Amino acid sequence: MEPGGGTLARIVVPAGARSMQGHRAGIVTRVLAGAVDSFIAVLGVGLGYLAVLVIRYVVSPRDFQFVEPGFGLLLLCFLWLLTVYLTLAWATTGRSYGARLLGLRVVDHRGRRLRPGIALLRALLCVFVPIVLFWVVVSRENRSAADVLLRTSVIYDWAATTHTPQGIPEHGPASGSSGGTVGS
């Protein structure tokens, strides 16, 4: 039985989606995954705020007042949390929760997990200069400017595989279909 092509992959992955396995993801899927990840970061900031309130209440219940952190601090916390979250996700599994939900994985030019430094640089670019992600719209290879700069790709990867793919083509798909594939 081939890795990633076993019985479980056929059961979980719809037949129409199997043909996209290993191809680079387009803008719609990436934006949806980004929206899920942003929501998780907002939720994290909210839980952090709640934790600060609880600690303040426990330490001094008589003097307790709600803290008004201001938009600037909340935005800074959101950007920091999103950067850390994406860095850890891409450096460990190649997937954030949004990517996992939509069947995506971020890989290097050889189809492997990103090194921590590359994951951090990619997260910084994606969080602080998000316009670089929209290069996917005009790229014939479905690559963002961050992907081109850092030699990474966002691929469809619904079935967990235990093998290391052969690599991502640097100059477009070898098979002629849009998006390119792992191992092409």
Side-chain angles (χ1 to χ4, degrees):
M1 187 176 339
E2 288 182 27
T7 307
L8 182 61
R10 282 189 216 110
I11 293 170
V12 175
V13 180
R18 275 185 234 140
S19 66
M20 295 302 296
Q21 180 80 6
H23 285 260
R24 289 192 184 108
I27 190 67
V28 173
T29 314
R30 290 174 183 232
V31 166
L32 290 172
V36 170
D37 294 334
S38 294
F39 176 75
I40 289 170
V42 166
L43 194 60
V45 170
L47 289 173
Y49 175 71
L50 183 62
V52 167
L53 291 178
V54 167
I55 290 169
R56 287 181 55 134
Y57 181 77
V58 169
V59 169
S60 181
R62 288 185 174 209
D63 298 330
F64 176 76
Q65 291 181 349
F66 282 93
V67 179
E68 294 184 27
F71 178 76
L73 181 59
L74 290 175
L75 179 62
L76 187 64
C77 290
F78 168 77
L79 295 174
W80 176 82
L81 185 60
L82 188 59
T83 302
V84 169
Y85 164 69
L86 292 174
T87 300
L88 291 174
W90 293 337
T92 55
T93 64
R95 300 174 188 256
S96 61
Y97 184 73
R100 183 176 178 87
L101 189 65
L102 291 160
L104 302 177
R105 183 181 304 274
V106 179
V107 294
D108 70 7
H109 66 285
R110 292 188 179 119
R112 296 185 297 201
R113 185 179 56 228
L114 300 185
R115 293 186 323 252
I118 297 297
L120 175 61
L121 287 172
R122 190 174 198 285
L124 288 168
L125 276 171
C126 293
V127 171
F128 290 97
V129 192
I131 194 73
V132 302
L133 301 174
F134 288 93
W135 183 253
V136 170
V137 174
V138 295
S139 170
R140 292 176 52 205
E141 301 171 343
N142 276 359
R143 296 178 80 192
S144 69
D147 288 333
V148 173
L149 182 66
L150 299 171
R151 297 177 65 192
T152 60
S153 291
V154 178
I155 60 168
Y156 291 107
D157 187 13
W158 291 279
T161 58
T162 57
H163 72 293
T164 301
Q166 296 298 316
I168 307 288
E170 285 296 316
H171 302 292
S175 64
S177 62
S178 76
T181 61
V182 174
S184 299

